Amino acid sequence: MRIIWMIFGWLTSVCVWAATPLPVSEVAPGVYVHLSAHHWPDRANHGEIANIGFIVGDKCVAVIDSGGSPRQGIALRDAVKQLTDKPICYVINTHVHPDHIYGNRAFKDEPGVRFVGHHKLARAMATRGEHYLSRAEEVLDIHVNQDNIIPPDLQVKDTMTLNLGNRDLVLTAHPTAHTDNDLSVYDKNTDTMWLADLLFLEHIPVIDGSIRGWLAELERLEHRRYRLVIPGHGRVVNDWPAAMQPEKRYLAELSDELRAMIKQGKTLEQAVSSAGLAAKSRWQLFEQFHRKNVTIAFAELEWED
């Protein structure tokens, strides 16, 4: 009998969790965001570490990133349904990393839903998917399979405008920066730019693409003015472009220091042990990500013209 009650309690807790909508805040009219704390993805947080959310139009809803686990995707879907009776017409994945795509399955059976991403996203999902899935249970304590990695059926090669009903979202496929499949979402109605992981605040930027490309994109974006900017990690920004200066400084200083070391004939091992350490006090999760950043940036800069 005790075992039966334990099982009943476990099932009840799962059902309660699944029925609890994800907490979101309306940061601009019709723009809802769930802000995550800064964490290393692990079994305690199940990889639910990114800012995700949705935008509501007169006709339908666009979800922007589905979350770091299947259950977070369900909770996000329930948050949409709690706040509006408009159908979900688009799920926009801003890039390939698991904390932004593992909730996709929760939206697959929504009538008429389309998955949207950068034109290189499907290739990135195919290339990385097997590795991601093989590690998910051990690292994140979540159960996922290929159904959780859903490639886009609408691919953005340059820009694309999605109309949600009196609300246009302009999607931009960026050159290689944070990854080689970064997508931003601009909401014209509220002058809100959803930059996702092109912008990190407090959480150290994570290079998985090109340090030169990322700096070039920041230079371009810096000349634009937005009322609000939503990062992939960190607070919602109302002081653009000032808010992006710490990220730009980190990438620029690391780039300059690595170029100098390469010119001096220093090795990758020497760079990993010493480059960029002056920035340590300025960033959370520095120990977890900085050395990887050095490795990727060194390999790129070593071969530049």
Side-chain angles (χ1 to χ4, degrees):
M1 179 64 70
R2 182 167 180 261
I3 292 175
I4 293 174
W5 277 109
M6 287 173 65
I7 295 172
F8 176 78
W10 177 81
L11 289 171
T12 301
S13 67
V14 170
C15 292
V16 168
W17 196 102
T20 303
L22 192 70
V24 294
S25 299
E26 189 174 19
V27 298
V31 180
Y32 295 88
V33 181
H34 172 77
L35 294 176
S36 175
H38 301 312
H39 296 295
W40 173 258
D42 60 23
R43 296 172 65 87
N45 55 53
H46 308 295
E48 299 167 8
I49 59 170
N51 296 342
I52 61 178
F54 54 93
I55 298 176
V56 182
D58 289 348
K59 181 180 69 176
C60 62
V61 178
V63 168
I64 304 178
D65 287 330
S66 59
S69 73
R71 69 179 187 179
Q72 191 177 36
I74 292 170
L76 178 60
R77 184 194 64 196
D78 290 348
V80 174
K81 295 181 181 298
Q82 181 185 60
L83 289 165
T84 179
D85 59 0
K86 305 291 193 304
I88 298 167
C89 49
Y90 300 108
V91 175
I92 302 167
N93 289 139
T94 62
H95 62 289
V96 72
H97 289 156
D99 50 325
H100 297 260
I101 68 171
Y102 269 169
N104 278 2
R105 181 64 183 84
F107 302 93
K108 188 174 183 179
D109 296 328
E110 292 294 309
V113 71
R114 306 291 300 276
F115 288 82
V116 189
H118 192 286
H119 67 99
K120 293 183 179 179
L121 178 60
R123 183 181 68 186
M125 286 178 164
T127 301
R128 298 176 179 220
E130 184 176 346
H131 174 68
Y132 285 170
L133 294 174
S134 69
R135 300 279 290 159
E137 185 167 357
E138 175 188 351
V139 175
L140 304 176
D141 192 26
I142 63 174
H143 302 285
V144 289
N145 57 38
Q146 197 61 49
D147 286 342
N148 300 100
I149 302 180
I150 302 174
D153 41 52
L154 288 177
Q155 299 188 14
V156 185
K157 292 188 176 180
D158 185 12
T159 63
M160 177 184 292
T161 299
L162 304 178
N163 184 271
L164 307 183
N166 293 317
R167 184 164 221 147
D168 283 340
L169 304 184
V170 180
L171 280 55
T172 300
H174 295 266
T176 303
H178 166 61
T179 68
D180 72 352
N181 51 90
D182 299 312
L183 192 74
S184 64
V185 181
Y186 176 66
D187 174 40
K188 289 185 175 181
N189 285 26
T190 61
D191 193 21
T192 297
M193 173 59 90
W194 203 306
L195 278 182
D197 281 14
L198 286 170
L199 178 63
F200 285 72
L201 284 86
E202 298 96 28
H203 183 308
I204 187 172
V206 178
I207 305 170
D208 193 18
S210 165
I211 191 169
R212 293 194 303 170
W214 202 343
L215 281 166
E217 284 303 284
L218 292 178
E219 289 279 357
R220 184 183 64 80
L221 290 164
E222 189 174 15
H223 296 294
R224 293 290 307 272
R225 295 294 181 269
Y226 306 107
R227 193 181 73 82
L228 286 179
V229 175
I230 300 171
H233 301 269
R235 62 178 175 83
V236 175
V237 167
N238 57 13
D239 57 345
W240 184 267
M244 55 85 77
Q245 297 307 317
E247 176 179 88
K248 181 181 176 184
R249 177 185 174 190
Y250 170 77
L251 296 172
E253 288 180 349
L254 180 58
S255 178
D256 290 345
E257 190 169 344
L258 289 176
R259 283 192 175 103
M261 295 183 77
I262 291 167
K263 188 175 181 179
Q264 295 163 9
K266 298 292 181 62
T267 65
L268 171 60
E269 290 73 17
Q270 289 172 311
V272 168
S273 66
S274 62
L277 297 183
K280 182 176 181 179
S281 63
R282 303 199 298 264
W283 296 102
Q284 296 182 40
L285 300 175
F286 186 92
E287 290 291 344
Q288 289 86 344
F289 290 107
H290 175 70
R291 288 176 176 81
K292 179 184 176 183
N293 287 344
V294 173
T295 300
I296 293 173
F298 188 97
E300 176 186 358
L301 297 174
E302 189 176 26
W303 295 101
E304 69 179 342
D305 296 331

